Amino acid sequence: MPHPSSAISPASVFIRGGRIIDPASGRDEIGDLLVENGVISASTAAPGGDLPVIDAKGLIVSPGLIDMHVHLREPGGSQKETIATGTRAAAAGGFTSVLAMPNTTPPADGPNTIALMRQRAAETAHVNVFVSGCITVGMKGEQLAPIGSLYKAGVVALTDDGHCVQNNELMRRALDYARMFDLLTLDHCQDYNLSAGGVMHEGYWSTVLGLPGWPRIAEDMIVARNILLSQLTGARIHVQHLSSADSVRLVRDAKSRGVKISAEAMPHHLALTDASIEGYDTRFKMNPPLREKSDQDALFAGLADGTIEILASDHAPHASYEKEVEFADAPFGIVGLETELGLFQKLLINDGVLDWPSMLRKLTINPARLLGLDRGTLAPGAPGDVTVIDPDHAWKVDSSHFESLSHNTPFDGWELPGRATHTIVSGTVVWSLN
Ligand SMILES: [Zn+2]
């Protein structure tokens, strides 16, 4: 079982009278939860002594949330984010574990960079950090990274995220190796020829605004490729940040045939469409791009019927000077860790797409199982990672208060219905509201 890197020591805490939701076991009841010496206890007896007590009346007590798509930017991007600031943002958003993407500088394509990232996390992280390694050397898509050495160095997944391996034969070989180690391969699905030069969704708005289009077919083509390669190799593939209706349909069909494919959705693709780009605001520029209402409807349907089993942020910090340029020149991506839980509640629960247990499943046990982590559950003996959520704590997004070093969000000023009140890692309260 892979171990996370974090600077948190095990502790104890008693959480009283909350609505305990553990999707892994189907538990959903009012009760008390004890974390003892960093581990979920089978006992719910109120302990004596000076143990910290959290009054969770009216609050939800969930397994610690896991975000399996986060860019921490360290090493090499400390003007955007560091492991310390990114994990502080994660804690503030209710996340107890994150999976760091390997597109750092240098890229995490060998055991030395993985060791460096794990060391920095062990010294500075506020939550558990798991690391992924590159599929190809330098994410150039030309030569396989040393997958066996990456596995030995502790990666829990492989990805060239931000890039996409275009050579199908190389991807096939990568998957053969990944299968040997039962490593999940995550793919940023983008055909470079079909999306060449594209900076926003190809459609009505790209025509009106005169910006080059990044069409859905560029995503769909690689999703289809991955389904075929998973069938051929037997390797598990996870398609990242789905944005297109046809991609959802392809994944649904493949799953019904038993193909080992999984998928994730991001809050921005659920909340916004390409019409938001009307003012050429670079905060609405991401990859894959914001698409149309019909794509959003397909994403909601895919979340409701289980086709899409993962919710994540694609937290992608960029300094303001990088985003304050012409739309075509701005980098892709937005920060997401501090707003995603509230956005998911607003868009999925308050709008009736999912209930709390089915939404929390996509943020806890589902990512844990895909990545092979011993987390994402409140079962006795599991690591004492817990998120306490107030579903009635309405708040207004103000990026100037973010813990993240970066503030590139399109959600400034949005009213969100709820948020995490306590983030607990191994029994230690690493963040609390107020
Ligand atoms: Zn990506």
Side-chain angles (χ1 to χ4, degrees), residues 69 71 161-163 188 240-241 287-288 314:
H69 196 146
H71 298 273
D161 182 43
H163 300 265
H188 167 119
Q240 299 180 290
H241 41 46
N287 187 1
D314 195 3

Side-chain angles (χ1 to χ4, degrees), residues 1-4 118 130 151 156 368 371-375 383:
M1 199 60 82
H3 291 290
R118 297 194 66 187
F130 293 92
Y151 175 73
V156 301
L371 298 170
L373 314 181
D374 61 344
R375 283 155 208 275

Side-chain angles (χ1 to χ4, degrees), residues 342-343 346 394-397 411-418:
L343 284 163
K346 174 183 165 70
W395 61 292
K396 193 174 187 174
V397 178
F411 298 114
D412 245 331
W414 278 48
E415 305 274 357
L416 300 182

Side-chain angles (χ1 to χ4, degrees), residues 4-16:
S5 307
S6 86
I8 313 302
S9 343
S12 302
V13 63
F14 186 65
I15 305 163
R16 178 182 289 144

Side-chain angles (χ1 to χ4, degrees), residues 166 190-199 212-215 217-219 287:
Q166 303 291 296
Q190 178 177 7
D191 181 293
Y192 288 170
N193 288 303
L194 285 165
S195 64
V199 297
W214 181 152
I217 186 75
E219 175 175 305
N287 187 1

